[in-house]
Amino acid sequence: MAKKHGGALPVKKNDLIQLTIEDLTHEGHGVGKVDGYPLFIPNALPGEKINVKVIKTSKNYGFGRLMEWHEKSPNRVEPPCPVYDRCGGCQLQHLSYDGQLAAKQKQVQDVMARIGKLPHVPVHPTMGMEEPWRYRNKSQVPLGMSNGSVIAGFYAKRSHEIVDVNHCIIQEKVSDEVMSLVKQKANELGIQPYDETHHKGVLRHVVIRYGRTTGEVMVILVTRTNDVPHMMELIDVLKENIKGLTSIIHNVNKQKTNVIMGEKTTTLWGRDVIYDSIGDIRFAISARSFYQVNPVQTEVLYKKALEYTQLTGEESVVDAYCGIGTISLFLAQKAKKVYGVEIVEQAIEDAKQNAELNGIDNAEFEAGPAEVVIPKWHKEGKKADVIVVDPPRKGCDEALLATILAMKPKRVVYVSCNPGTLARDLRVLEEGGYETVEVQPVDMFPQTSHVECVAQIVLKND
Ligand code: SAH
């Protein structure tokens, strides 16, 4: 874009300009253009006319600060959270929920056209929640020290500074209770929170997991040291005060790292797992297993994925990037056979146990990279009528896409947490003889800018 200006940018640092916001980035920043040069403006919304101070410029884009409104978006709302400005957890609380759903749909439409070269693919309105608050079943709360007191909350935007909070309105209420209680007791008992800079102190994180359909609660105390002073008192106060508590876990993380949990996990009280169900399938969730954070919308997403597979009971299905087998087990009820593959060995162990827990005997799981295991299956002569993929943000590995094209399943169902890589991979499938029928965004993360989609893809002329 800079070329258009012969090297000179249309704005420079500290310029005061008027701008009309046209779009929203995937981080939730407003975008306006000056002679085609995009400026990103935190907190600005599409349709708004504003005064902006240019803060930073680089070759292809710049950043500005919203100084004053000439015209506000009708979709602008007062963010209900008092620390919304500082906390890094949410990005879209200043946009009405309908506005959020529409923005997510538009974002998917835009990348389908731009990256997927699929401007005509139907992208449906985002399926949202009736009550888009208090949905998170897992909270990971760092503890720290400020002015001589223990604080607990969430990291500020792009930082490891802890914003002290007692209520987080996107997490389950029980998380608020545990978070406040642990903070209060740590203060009273003099349990030192972890000091990241000096790698000192004891209590690093408290992690809360909740089984929505069972009401079961797991509390995981992550500490730097094996020994924790006053641990028994802490356990007692949790047992006395937290309704539904079924499990208290101790995890030791001695490393200087951003990774929350360490290798050593012991059960201090109660069970090793809590249970939750999605649809008819029951899952055992241990301290470290991956589990979707919004169980209500997970069911909506999986139902859509199941619909897109069009299973009749005769099909052989491959579920790539299967995690603890959530999608695999959901599909196994309607398929002849499901093969799940996942890179984390512990998740595969969980998947096998979850199959057993539900009496499902037509699902098989193998640990390994999908791009290695599925080509191996293909070589061995395994057939797939349907392949489901649910990769991490970077999308599918090229080798996996090539294998899908070689295996020629009748249908591919692509679950994605990153519309950009989804669109890129759909293009590869299109070139290989597939057609994208439709894309359905599902709001798994209300108030945040994360976008989840499921796409139905079919083999052409078959
Ligand atoms: N389908 C599951 C998990 C999706 S998250 C669910 O809905 O719950 C994506 C998963 O891909 C993670 O579990 C991650 O461990 C796994 N993964 C990442 N890279 C992989 C690879 N190369 N091969 C197989 N699995 C991989």
Side-chain angles (χ1 to χ4, degrees), residues 290 292 302 321-323 326-327 341-344 368-371 390-392:
F290 173 86
Q292 297 281 356
Y302 290 178
Y321 309 90
C322 72
T326 25
I327 296 179
V341 55
E342 154 67 44
I343 203 161
V344 176
E371 62 274 17
D390 182 7

Side-chain angles (χ1 to χ4, degrees), residues 278 292 298-306 326-327 330:
I278 296 175
Q292 297 281 356
T298 298
E299 187 168 352
V300 173
L301 179 75
Y302 290 178
K303 277 197 175 141
K304 198 34 102 174
L306 178 63
T326 25
I327 296 179
F330 210 72

Side-chain angles (χ1 to χ4, degrees), residues 57 80 95 112 207 295 335 419 427 436 438:
T57 57
L95 179 57
M112 283 303 142
V207 178
R427 173 82 341 247
T436 307
E438 57 185 67

Side-chain angles (χ1 to χ4, degrees), residues 290-321:
F290 173 86
Y291 189 62
Q292 297 281 356
V293 297
N294 184 336
V296 173
Q297 290 298 87
T298 298
E299 187 168 352
V300 173
L301 179 75
Y302 290 178
K303 277 197 175 141
K304 198 34 102 174
L306 178 63
E307 180 193 316
Y308 282 171
T309 57
Q310 293 177 0
L311 297 178
T312 62
E314 291 307 310
E315 294 82 357
S316 173
V317 181
V318 166
D319 179 17
Y321 309 90

Side-chain angles (χ1 to χ4, degrees), residues 350-366:
D350 291 347
K352 287 178 183 166
Q353 279 182 18
N354 285 326
E356 218 176 284
L357 180 69
N358 290 281
I360 290 174
D361 55 13
N362 60 337
E364 261 177 47
F365 296 96
E366 186 167 333

Side-chain angles (χ1 to χ4, degrees), residues 392-408:
R393 289 191 63 77
K394 66 174 192 230
C396 290
D397 191 278
E398 272 175 48
L400 174 62
L401 291 171
T403 307
I404 293 176
L405 295 181
M407 286 176 93
K408 289 198 185 321

